[in-house]
Amino acid sequence: MAKLTPMMEQYIKIKAEYKDAFLFYRLGDFYEMFYDDAINASRELEITLTKRAGGKGDPIPMCGVPYHSAENYIRTLIEKGYKVAICEQVEDPKTAKGVVKREVVQLITPGTVMETNMLKEGENNYIASLSHFNDGSYVIVYNDLSTGENHIALISHGWDAVIHELYNQPIKEIVISSNLPDDMQLQLQDRLNITLSYQDEVTFNAEYRSLTENLNDERLMKAFSRLLNYIQHTQKRALDHLQKAKVIKLKQYLSLDMYSKRNLELTETIIKKGKHGSLLWVLDKTATAMGSRMLKKWLERPLLNENQIEERLEIVDGFYRGFMERDSLRDILKSVYDLERLAGRIAFGNVNARDLIQLKRSLQTIPELKNTLYQFNRKEINSLADDLISPDHIVNLLDGSLVDDPPISIKEGSIIKDGYNEQLDTYRYATKNGKKWIAELEKKEKQETNIKSLKIGYNRVFGYYIEVTKANLHLLPEGRYERKQTLTNAERYITPELKEKEELILEAEEKSIDLEYRLFIEIREKIKNHIPELQHLADVVSKIDVLQGFATVSEANNYKRPQFVESKLNIKNGRHPVIEQVMKDGSFVPNDISLDESKNILLITGPNMSGKSTYMRQLALTAIMGQIGCFVPCDDADLIIFDQIFTRIGAADDLVSGQSTFMVEMLEANHAIANATDRSLILLDEIGRGTSTYDGMALAQAIVEHIHNNIHAKTLFSTHYHELTTLEDSLSNLKNIHVRAEEHEGNVVFLHQIKDGAADQSYGIHVAKLAKLPDPLIERATAILQQLEAEDKPKPITEKMDSGQLSFFVDENKKVKKEKQPANSDKVINDLKEMNLFEMTPMEAMNELYRLQKEMKQ
Ligand code: ADP
Ligand code: MG
């Protein structure tokens, strides 16, 4: 059998080491891909799949992308979560014996990209690592290579908590041990949509010493080493800009499980998966990309410590009141470039002179920024100013060395200022002098030959030449110059003197370009030593930016500073921060809310579409806004600091996710019950909707009772089971409230007002009428309803039970009726009872009524 060609043999050998990446194999002006890589890449990149004879057997599938436009293709693959290994020719093909030597020079992965155009400005790009330990704990490390930040979190309470923590973080890639159980790997990949990478080596490398000084737990060290080893092995890059690992103590933050992060639409909406319509969208009035990234982080981790919250609120308050100063502050911030990512790129050595000029301009604003901050009459703001240390040495270095408007390339000169380097000045002087000499020569030759159009030009191939048009050739004395080139209507000449000068000029030019490049690298290296300063600066500037953004949005939307109290939560005229903005016309109806120890469960009834869900979510969002240090949407707020927020949103509202099974509903409820404390907030929105009426109602009641008797968490509970409103009699800490709707000329009008007590009607038929169902049908439904209401409906058992014991529903009528009524009538009545009008479209209601009527007529 024929053998593979040597080149394909080389390919296969290299590919074996990069099985999980697309291998971009350099061949002349192309990167080629073969076999499965080719088939997959042609599909993902929509490029043509071809074939190539490889020496053995069938032709090999192949496709390729031009070297010059490879970046776009790479970006597409990375965005789709793939990795790309760049394999270059590492010896000169002309002198190579046999197959040109090739090596992978870079592995580009979703978590390690640094190229500005592959990163989202206002979002972190994390590569994380996950390690599990025999004691059942997990450690997550977050690293953003573009900014250098490192965060470490220890999770000691199980795998579920890991998923809740990772959910919704901008993690593009996660480095794990190959021993992590398969089902966990699958969850990371499929449920969280993160690219997996493996690194089993977790030994600690002494090089990391400075990054890990503050880690005094071996588990944290190992987890951090896993990540750093991976980055070093695959990226072969400097890690100079990485910051010391910050340990995130999850217990110090308000914990939001993944359901809440999702249901409350904190940073993205459920349906469109975008920022628009989320709380972040409303609150993001930051002026810099750094600020925007920090705000997102704050939203993911609201604070628990009252002093820290108050410190932020003090600053926001100061910014809020100092309107004029805040305006100038915003203007200054707008001119600050992304210092954080710039620092990262300086460390990696991929900045050009223009970037450094932007750095200089950003740093030049610091003194002004400080001054502006000192103008606010607030000590917390002034201490932010103290914390901004103007890096004059960097500014001076950059200002003294780089021209103001350098080219993009750092290899073509025109970067360094005159007077910065003596040698460079000498070269430049030589060049300049040479050019002056040439200009003078031109003048002199013109005069002596009397040829006015004589000129001295330059091109890359021939260098300097004297050009005389054919029409003037007769004026030129024989033998004055040496002929070099003939054009259609001119001759070009040189002289030994001219060549000599040319050599001097070119040599000086070449040397000065070389020198400029070296000087630039030197400057860049010098700045590299100041990266921690830049990172600190970036951190303070981001914080200022987020807080001025809070002041700006609070003023624009009329938010109020909350007070934190021990036990009695009280919000006057609260609003939903997002819906209020979406409605724009100011027609949002504000509502009060009050929860304390004696009444910590509110049971909310009211017709569909009246505003129950809105009311519940607005409390959670208000609490979160308060705990990140922002003002809140209301006239006055006494808030308590919640330790955790849980949400369970009913199946019918959950259609979009496509996974609204009753099981998910119960899982979420269980998650709340298992973890909530008396400092937590639980939102249960129409729980029990995903199953049959009795089932659902039984579970709903049992859950409320359990929370009431055992957990004592602040709870909002909305339900369409009117029967549950009688719980107020048996559960002393439960209070009924309802959303008011009014009947007006037989129609229902939603007022969106919350009132004490239970809703008295279901309004379902009115909603059907609003939907313009035929009048006879509505009349018939009204009659049926009256008949049903006349009969005894099932009532929940409300007598006291041993805590934790389930209650059951009895329907005495059922047995009795069975004997009296014809079989189909029994079934029709039952069907009618079970029918959930709130969940039906008008058409479904119509069909159902039609069917029931038909059955009765039989
Ligand atoms: P429910 O949960 O009772 O079915 P929602 O809370 O989903 O009702 O509210 C339905 C719609 O009513 C919302 O999308 C919003 O447009 C409007 N709405 C709710 N609350 C208010 C309010 N307080 N003021 C004005 N409109 C409201
Ligand atoms: Mg609802």
Side-chain angles (χ1 to χ4, degrees):
M1 202 164 83
K3 278 179 54 185
L4 281 175
T5 60
M7 194 194 81
M8 286 317 295
E9 269 178 0
Q10 181 194 47
Y11 171 84
I12 284 172
K13 216 165 126 202
I14 298 175
K15 174 69 196 174
E17 285 170 47
Y18 292 92
K19 285 204 186 83
D20 65 344
F22 281 102
L23 184 67
F24 273 41
Y25 185 81
R26 183 70 181 271
L27 206 60
D29 282 342
F30 279 80
Y31 287 118
E32 301 289 4
M33 280 159 277
F34 302 106
Y35 299 105
D36 283 353
D37 269 8
I39 295 168
N40 296 333
S42 73
R43 187 190 59 232
E44 297 290 355
L45 297 172
E46 296 173 21
I47 51 179
T48 325
L49 185 66
T50 57
K51 286 191 169 66
R52 175 190 181 101
K56 168 168 96 171
D58 294 335
I60 298 164
M62 169 175 112
C63 71
V65 301
Y67 163 74
H68 289 290
S69 56
E71 198 178 307
N72 286 331
Y73 293 106
I74 295 172
R75 182 170 60 212
T76 308
L77 291 173
I78 298 297
E79 274 169 5
K80 293 184 176 206
Y82 296 110
K83 303 171 194 170
V84 177
I86 306 290
C87 176
E88 293 289 356
Q89 301 173 165
V90 291
E91 63 180 351
D92 189 346
K94 284 186 212 113
T95 55
K97 291 198 198 85
V99 182
V100 185
K101 215 170 139 203
R102 290 183 177 83
E103 266 169 26
V104 169
V105 295
Q106 197 189 355
L107 178 68
I108 306 174
T109 70
T112 57
V113 289
M114 288 290 288
E115 287 67 21
T116 321
N117 62 359
M118 291 197 201
L119 295 169
K120 281 195 198 141
E121 263 208 341
E123 189 163 286
N124 278 104
N125 195 75
Y126 288 132
I127 178 166
S129 81
L130 176 67
S131 305
H132 61 299
F133 297 93
N134 287 338
D135 62 358
S137 60
Y138 297 85
V139 176
I140 298 171
V141 184
Y142 295 96
N143 166 277
D144 187 331
L145 270 185
S146 70
T147 62
E149 64 192 78
N150 289 302
H151 302 290
I152 302 194
L154 173 71
I155 294 184
S156 40
H157 43 289
W159 173 251
D160 249 11
V162 172
I163 294 288
H164 286 291
E165 166 61 26
L166 292 175
Y167 180 80
N168 217 17
Q169 301 274 12
I171 302 172
K172 301 293 148 58
E173 184 177 357
I174 191 158
V175 184
I176 54 177
S177 144
S178 50
N179 296 327
L180 191 72
D182 286 351
D183 59 319
M184 294 182 179
Q185 295 197 20
L186 264 180
Q187 284 194 46
L188 295 172
Q189 193 164 30
D190 296 347
R191 197 154 160 211
L192 300 177
N193 201 12
I194 308 177
T195 301
L196 301 183
S197 294
Y198 299 91
Q199 176 67 253
D200 288 322
E201 179 70 62
V202 291
T203 44
F204 180 76
N205 183 333
E207 266 181 60
Y208 313 147
R209 172 86 44 215
S210 64
L211 297 173
T212 54
E213 271 165 5
N214 52 335
L215 304 181
N216 43 19
D217 182 326
E218 204 199 352
R219 291 170 299 181
L220 301 185
M221 296 277 263
K222 279 191 174 156
F224 198 32
S225 300
R226 181 190 305 285
L227 184 70
L228 294 175
N229 286 341
Y230 172 81
I231 297 173
Q232 275 218 326
H233 290 169
T234 60
Q235 302 301 305
K236 302 164 182 131
R237 285 197 259 187
L239 300 174
D240 294 353
H241 73 303
L242 292 193
Q243 303 176 34
K244 228 178 244 153
K246 272 195 201 123
V247 180
I248 308 177
K249 296 238 165 62
L250 293 172
K251 288 260 170 301
Q252 292 175 356
Y253 299 97
L254 166 72
S255 130
L256 292 154
D257 59 3
M258 63 184 268
Y259 311 117
S260 301
K261 289 185 203 171
R262 182 170 161 277
N263 290 333
L264 295 173
E265 307 192 308
L266 293 183
T267 56
E268 64 176 27
T269 54
I270 297 176
I271 304 181
K272 293 197 177 144
K273 295 268 167 237
K275 178 175 170 186
H276 188 93
S278 67
L279 182 61
L280 176 65
W281 166 70
V282 175
L283 296 187
D284 193 353
K285 296 285 180 273
T286 57
T288 69
M290 301 180 276
S292 195
R293 288 197 297 269
M294 184 173 275
L295 169 59
K296 205 169 165 197
K297 274 180 266 190
W298 284 15
L299 265 176
E300 301 269 351
R301 298 199 203 286
L303 300 172
L304 292 182
N305 180 305
E306 190 173 335
N307 292 336
Q308 287 174 357
I309 299 173
E310 286 295 346
E311 190 207 316
R312 287 187 189 172
L313 284 171
E314 268 300 302
I315 297 172
V316 175
D317 198 52
F319 284 155
Y320 186 103
R321 286 162 203 266
F323 171 76
M324 301 282 275
E325 295 84 356
R326 170 154 45 90
D327 240 20
S328 11
L329 183 68
R330 283 177 63 83
D331 280 344
I332 300 169
L333 287 172
K334 278 182 196 149
S335 61
V336 179
Y337 191 68
D338 196 337
L339 291 176
E340 218 178 1
R341 286 208 163 137
L342 202 50
R345 285 169 45 220
I346 291 171
F348 274 156
N350 59 355
V351 281
N352 59 28
R354 280 196 192 171
D355 294 322
L356 293 190
I357 289 296
Q358 265 169 323
L359 173 66
K360 180 185 87 175
R361 298 216 173 106
S362 304
L363 298 182
Q364 279 170 332
T365 64
I366 300 296
E368 204 186 338
L369 193 60
K370 279 174 78 103
N371 276 340
T372 313
L373 291 171
Y374 283 128
Q375 282 165 29
F376 289 93
N377 184 16
R378 196 65 61 118
K379 71 173 192 304
E380 286 77 5
I381 297 182
N382 298 345
S383 84
L384 277 177
D386 297 339
D387 216 9
L388 285 174
I389 298 147
S390 179
D392 296 332
H393 46 294
I394 304 182
V395 174
N396 292 341
L397 170 64
L398 292 172
D399 200 43
S401 59
L402 300 181
V403 299
D404 282 342
D405 190 13
I408 292 179
S409 166
I410 51 173
K411 291 192 171 154
E412 284 162 25
S414 311
I415 297 177
I416 306 290
K417 270 185 178 168
D418 284 340
Y420 175 69
N421 178 283
E422 222 171 287
Q423 184 64 49
L424 182 64
D425 289 347
T426 325
Y427 291 142
R428 282 184 174 161
Y429 181 75
T431 317
K432 218 159 141 194
N433 250 355
K435 288 189 174 160
K436 201 165 130 210
W437 181 88
I438 286 172
E440 271 159 14
L441 178 70
E442 187 182 79
K443 214 157 115 200
K444 189 179 111 214
E445 293 301 309
K446 261 184 199 174
Q447 268 168 9
E448 290 185 3
T449 59
N450 227 348
I451 305 174
K452 287 225 168 58
S453 63
L454 178 144
K455 64 171 188 209
I456 298 185
Y458 175 81
N459 75 29
R460 269 177 196 272
V461 184
F462 295 109
Y464 285 99
Y465 53 78
I466 302 168
E467 187 173 289
V468 179
T469 56
K470 292 224 164 119
N472 288 318
L473 278 183
H474 63 281
L475 293 172
L476 201 64
E478 189 68 25
R480 186 173 176 93
Y481 314 129
E482 194 179 313
R483 184 152 64 212
K484 188 79 192 171
Q485 192 190 8
T486 305
L487 306 179
T488 357
N489 49 15
E491 293 285 348
R492 287 179 174 174
Y493 303 93
I494 52 171
T495 71
E497 254 182 318
L498 183 60
K499 281 291 122 180
E500 205 174 292
K501 278 289 176 215
E502 174 187 304
E503 218 162 273
L504 280 177
I505 294 172
L506 292 186
E507 195 187 69
E509 245 169 23
E510 192 181 315
K511 280 190 177 152
S512 81
I513 286 177
D514 267 6
L515 181 58
E516 282 203 58
Y517 178 72
R518 283 205 313 273
L519 290 172
F520 177 77
I521 302 295
E522 212 177 275
I523 295 164
R524 199 174 67 190
E525 289 301 307
K526 276 188 193 155
I527 294 177
K528 212 165 163 175
N529 297 329
H530 299 292
I531 283 176
E533 274 167 72
L534 294 178
Q535 283 168 334
H536 174 74
L537 212 52
D539 196 55
V540 184
V541 171
S542 313
K543 188 170 167 190
I544 294 166
D545 193 15
V546 177
L547 293 168
Q548 72 71 26
F550 285 171
T552 304
V553 72
S554 297
E555 189 197 56
N557 301 344
N558 201 13
Y559 298 160
K560 291 284 159 12
R561 179 174 180 169
Q563 302 93 41
F564 287 91
V565 296
E566 228 357 83
S567 60
K568 189 170 164 41
L569 179 143
N570 207 338
I571 298 172
K572 214 169 142 10
N573 287 327
R575 285 136 28 216
H576 188 297
V578 181
I579 296 186
E580 163 181 71
Q581 291 311 309
V582 174
M583 295 189 18
K584 281 190 191 118
D585 57 358
S587 59
F588 190 88
V589 181
N591 278 303
D592 299 347
I593 190 163
S594 164
L595 283 162
D596 58 29
E597 263 131 42
S598 68
K599 293 288 172 206
N600 55 20
I601 301 182
L602 298 180
L603 193 126
I604 311 165
T605 43
N608 212 356
M609 289 302 285
S610 59
K612 299 184 294 299
S613 303
T614 306
Y615 183 69
M616 297 171 76
R617 283 172 219 212
Q618 105 190 12
L619 172 61
L621 294 177
T622 302
I624 290 170
M625 285 169 71
Q627 286 179 244
I628 60 175
C630 185
F631 288 9
V632 292
C634 62
D635 289 348
D636 189 35
D638 289 341
L639 299 181
I640 52 180
I641 294 177
F642 289 117
D643 65 347
Q644 302 170 85
I645 295 180
F646 301 93
T647 60
R648 169 54 229 161
I649 308 293
D653 288 354
D654 219 10
L655 293 175
V656 266
S657 72
Q659 51 166 15
S660 56
T661 63
F662 184 62
M663 185 63 187
V664 174
E665 197 176 328
M666 287 300 109
L667 280 172
E668 294 185 16
N670 181 49
H671 185 72
I673 288 172
N675 295 288
T677 71
D678 60 349
R679 307 291 306 176
S680 307
L681 172 66
I682 303 179
L683 305 184
L684 297 172
D685 194 349
E686 310 250 7
I687 198 152
R689 223 165 156 170
T691 182
S692 73
T693 305
Y694 293 139
D695 228 14
M697 195 158 48
L699 280 164
Q701 180 182 347
I703 290 170
V704 177
E705 284 175 355
H706 182 81
I707 295 172
H708 182 273
N709 297 335
N710 304 318
I711 301 179
H712 314 293
K714 303 273 184 290
T715 304
L716 299 192
F717 188 96
S718 77
T719 183
H720 59 291
Y721 299 125
H722 281 256
E723 295 83 349
L724 293 182
T725 54
T726 55
L727 285 173
E728 197 178 38
D729 304 331
S730 58
L731 304 179
S732 58
N733 297 340
L734 181 146
K735 179 177 160 187
N736 280 325
I737 56 173
H738 69 280
V739 198
R740 197 169 141 224
E742 268 187 356
E743 245 185 283
H744 182 68
E745 295 174 357
N747 290 327
V748 60
V749 181
F750 295 128
L751 299 172
H752 306 302
Q753 280 170 1
I754 301 282
K755 297 278 168 203
D756 284 356
D760 49 357
Q761 291 191 56
S762 71
Y763 298 95
I765 292 178
H766 296 100
V767 175
K769 191 168 177 184
L770 271 185
K772 298 212 167 33
L773 280 168
D775 287 347
L777 188 150
I778 299 287
E779 277 157 29
R780 174 70 186 139
T782 313
I784 299 172
L785 180 68
Q786 276 162 4
Q787 190 187 337
L788 288 174
E789 277 174 349
E791 292 165 11
D792 260 349
K793 284 190 283 181
K795 285 264 160 41
I797 294 178
T798 51
E799 71 266 21
K800 263 280 179 255
M801 292 158 299
D802 295 345
S803 66
Q805 189 183 322
L806 263 183
S807 71
F808 296 97
F809 297 86
V810 268
D811 185 355
E812 306 285 359
N813 302 326
K814 251 186 182 168
K815 285 181 240 150
V816 190
K817 271 189 219 146
K818 233 173 201 146
E819 284 140 36
K820 286 190 207 154
Q821 311 249 348
N824 62 340
S825 139
D826 190 22
K827 188 171 173 298
V828 167
I829 288 172
N830 242 331
D831 284 358
L832 253 176
K833 277 187 191 164
E834 305 247 320
M835 220 159 101
N836 187 347
L837 291 175
F838 303 121
E839 294 214 275
M840 298 176 107
T841 65
M843 204 54 212
E844 283 168 351
M846 174 109 162
N847 285 333
E848 196 54 20
L849 272 175
Y850 178 74
R851 185 182 69 76
L852 295 177
Q853 196 182 45
K854 212 167 104 188
E855 260 184 62
M856 286 298 278
K857 279 182 181 164
Q858 272 171 5

